[in-house]
Amino acid sequence: MPTDTPSETVKYFKKPEEAIARLITVYEENTAVLRNAFNAVARGERPQGRVRRFYPQIAVTTETNARVNSRLPFGHVDSAGRFVITMTRPDLFSDYLLQQLGLLIENHDVPIEVGESDRPIPLHFAFFRGESIDVSGMGDTGFPLSDVFDMPDLNFMDDAIVNGTHESGPNGERPLGLFTAPRVDYSLHRLQHYTATAAEHFQNYVLFTNYAFYVDEFEKMAKALISDPDSGYTAYVEPGNQVTEAGDDGPSSGQTPVRPPQMPAYHLKRPGHMGITLVNIGVGPSNAKTITDHIAVLRPHAWLMLGHCAGLRNSQKLGDFVLAHGYVRQDQVLDADLPNWVPIPPLAEVQVALEQAVAEVTGLEGLELKRIMRTGTVASIDNRNWELRQQSEQVQQLSQSRAIALDMESATIAANGFRFRVPYGTLLCVSDKPLHGELKLPGMATEFYVSQVASHLEIGMRAFEKMREMPRERLHSRKLRSFAEPALL
């Protein structure tokens, strides 16, 4: 029967697999109640009273301040106390939870508590397998759905934990993870909307680009890789959840979207989500923030920006690479969440992987490699036509910052990686030199794209292969962790 109060049954587990199984059971049962009740309403039935079910939650309680391996950037709490987080889609996050909960048990020798939270599951979020709530054929039910079901509430979908502004409740409980269940659910639904692919298809290594040319090349590479039984890649997914399995000539499921998505995503899959996702974010920092806000809840291992930029030095040539090791943030979209005075440091593991990948793909090393690639500061702005403004002030600022390239997305993606504790990196390709009379014009652009897109994309994919060989605790640098971090990465 429907209930307005969460179950007080709490179970304790010393094996992460058992805790995850319990989370899945609670979540599946509670969302099934909501779906069944809504379907009954759609048939014209009126529930007796409110239909409410609650998110499961996990918690750990420690009574000592025992030190753990301080080299680990995650998997432990920093003090005694009770740490709690609500959970959604434990089936989707099972691999992630297996590692994270296993480390908690190992580091603190305490059980994982699994029970129901006091946070209701909104009706819309109970439909998560591609279903949608269609009320067009319901007619007049005689009552608002909100009288019977809980609706999404933005008060519980903010980034207070991530931004470091979260305040513990009166009972002193602290967050165990970076995101609450409603916040995760919101992003899982947004991912489907913006990319036309389900969250299940996203991989742990994410490439962002701002040109469709990269999509065409990625498709060629992906289909070649899934046809190679030694590659380790098993499927290729296009918008509309069109899945091409290894050995197939084309998609065996899904369908082409009626309308192209705003930021289409393409997934080259490996077991355990260890493949590569490519997202064409288009142009601008707003898109860059939007999509990284949502992909972050999936806890990817790393993301990279592979895009085009304006070269700011006369010594650069069209087609040269820029490996960012610092950012001038004039994009403005993150100012309220991450103040501009916060530095965005380069991450050594990512930088080394990218530089090695450039050397391998181009066949150059040492001084010869420096001839086609510069490491330096990238400036990101929010005005695509910045060249049309009076130049002296803009040029002076760029010179004072020692910037060597300018674009509209890289600083946003790196800054959101820093904010969400996702390792990040940027490798750009010089497509024009506006300060030196080389504007991006159709003829020269075509020649540039043809010659550089394939090698640029191969570099990004090879860099991810190098990162995949690293232990996760090495890739997830302690530089990304604040003073009192949640235990779950």
Side-chain angles (χ1 to χ4, degrees):
M1 292 293 293
T3 177
D4 281 334
T5 59
S7 168
E8 296 182 359
T9 301
V10 176
K11 295 188 176 182
Y12 300 84
F13 303 94
K14 272 298 193 77
K15 294 182 178 179
E17 299 89 347
E18 295 176 355
I20 295 167
R22 179 59 183 165
L23 283 168
I24 292 174
T25 296
V26 174
Y27 179 77
E28 292 280 359
E29 290 178 352
N30 287 2
T31 54
V33 168
L34 296 175
R35 290 192 297 272
N36 292 338
F38 174 77
N39 291 334
V41 171
R43 294 191 300 267
E45 302 176 21
R46 172 79 186 251
Q48 298 299 312
R50 190 168 193 82
V51 181
R52 170 174 284 171
R53 282 295 186 270
F54 299 85
Y55 284 110
Q57 70 176 23
I58 52 178
V60 295
T61 302
T62 62
E63 297 180 353
T64 71
N65 291 287
R67 286 184 60 82
V68 296
N69 185 347
S70 60
R71 293 173 297 175
L72 285 173
F74 55 87
H76 56 83
V77 297
D78 64 344
S79 63
R82 180 171 169 80
F83 301 81
V84 182
I85 198 72
T86 52
M87 288 298 304
T88 188
R89 295 299 309 277
D91 59 318
L92 178 62
F93 292 98
S94 58
D95 290 338
Y96 164 79
L97 290 171
L98 187 63
Q99 181 199 42
Q100 300 290 310
L101 299 184
L103 283 172
L104 274 175
I105 295 169
E106 177 184 335
N107 286 326
H108 296 288
D109 193 27
V110 294
I112 303 296
E113 307 172 30
V114 178
E116 286 190 2
S117 71
D118 60 0
R119 181 63 52 218
I121 302 173
L123 173 64
H124 299 71
F125 294 162
F127 291 79
F128 57 87
R129 291 193 175 95
E131 320 102 315
S132 60
I133 296 181
D134 183 7
V135 298
S136 59
M138 292 175 59
D140 184 8
T141 62
F143 59 91
L145 283 177
S146 57
D147 282 356
V148 175
F149 301 101
D150 289 286
M151 299 288 109
D153 187 344
L154 290 178
N155 290 319
F156 303 106
M157 297 180 199
D158 60 40
D159 282 330
I161 303 173
V162 163
N163 291 344
T165 59
H166 173 81
E167 296 183 4
S168 298
N171 56 7
E173 290 181 345
R174 291 166 54 188
L176 185 62
L178 291 169
F179 300 101
T180 63
R183 170 65 171 85
V184 174
D185 269 335
Y186 173 72
S187 282
L188 297 183
H189 283 69
R190 292 283 85 191
L191 284 175
Q192 173 70 47
H193 171 74
Y194 284 119
T195 71
T197 54
E200 287 85 345
H201 295 306
F202 278 80
Q203 302 296 289
N204 280 325
Y205 298 93
V206 185
L207 290 172
F208 299 106
T209 186
N210 49 13
Y211 279 96
F213 301 92
Y214 286 79
V215 173
D216 299 335
E217 198 62 39
F218 186 72
E219 181 176 10
K220 293 179 187 176
M221 293 182 180
K223 291 184 176 179
L225 285 167
I226 64 172
S227 66
D228 178 2
D230 297 324
S231 71
Y233 295 101
T234 59
Y236 174 61
V237 183
E238 304 168 73
N241 297 312
Q242 301 176 85
V243 181
T244 301
E245 303 284 353
D248 292 345
D249 294 332
S252 57
S253 60
Q255 58 184 2
T256 303
V258 176
R259 287 178 289 275
Q262 183 175 343
M263 289 178 275
Y266 306 81
H267 313 279
L268 178 56
K269 301 181 74 170
R270 287 176 75 99
H273 296 270
M274 296 301 283
I276 299 172
T277 287
L278 174 76
V279 185
N280 179 13
I281 62 176
V283 176
S286 179
N287 278 2
K289 178 184 183 297
T290 296
I291 200 64
T292 49
D293 280 349
H294 300 312
I295 292 178
V297 305
L298 298 174
R299 310 314 298 142
H301 291 353
W303 61 41
L304 298 176
M305 176 65 192
L306 296 185
H308 295 169
C309 66
L312 299 179
R313 305 299 176 90
N314 200 27
S315 57
Q316 292 170 304
K317 303 185 300 297
L318 300 188
D320 280 358
F321 294 115
V322 172
L323 177 59
H325 76 180
Y327 301 89
V328 175
R329 295 171 51 203
Q330 295 181 328
D331 50 329
Q332 301 188 51
V333 295
L334 278 170
D335 290 357
D337 294 304
L338 193 71
N340 228 323
W341 50 261
V342 176
I344 309 300
L347 303 181
E349 293 78 10
V350 178
Q351 300 293 98
V352 169
L354 280 168
E355 184 171 352
Q356 290 177 346
V358 174
E360 291 177 7
V361 172
T362 62
L364 302 175
E365 58 184 19
L367 291 176
E368 286 299 298
L369 183 61
K370 290 186 177 182
R371 185 167 53 82
I372 65 158
M373 184 182 77
R374 294 192 62 157
T375 301
T377 299
V378 170
S380 289
I381 60 173
D382 59 357
N383 178 10
R384 177 60 189 88
N385 296 318
W386 63 276
E387 303 100 325
L388 302 182
R389 298 192 61 191
Q390 206 282 332
Q391 294 295 309
S392 58
E393 181 180 357
Q394 181 77 61
V395 171
Q396 180 181 349
Q397 291 177 349
L398 292 172
S399 178
Q400 289 174 328
S401 71
R402 310 300 192 266
I404 61 173
L406 182 145
D407 79 344
M408 298 188 69
E409 301 87 19
S410 294
T412 309
I413 287 171
N416 239 8
F418 181 84
R419 183 166 75 103
F420 289 122
R421 290 75 161 171
V422 176
Y424 51 85
T426 301
L427 184 71
L428 302 176
C429 206
V430 175
S431 60
D432 60 331
K433 294 166 56 182
L435 296 183
H436 307 285
E438 296 188 52
L439 302 179
K440 190 181 295 184
L441 301 174
M444 56 193 286
T446 300
E447 181 179 354
F448 163 75
Y449 294 138
V450 169
S451 63
Q452 283 300 95
V453 166
S455 59
H456 195 188
L457 183 60
E458 184 181 355
I459 289 166
M461 295 176 70
R462 191 167 298 194
F464 276 152
E465 290 172 359
K466 294 179 180 298
M467 294 180 214
R468 192 163 54 226
E469 296 172 357
M470 300 178 189
R472 194 176 186 192
E473 57 268 22
R474 178 184 167 197
L475 181 58
H476 284 266
S477 171
R478 288 177 293 175
K479 294 177 185 176
L480 300 178
R481 310 294 275 172
S482 62
F483 293 157
E485 282 286 280
L488 303 186
L489 177 64

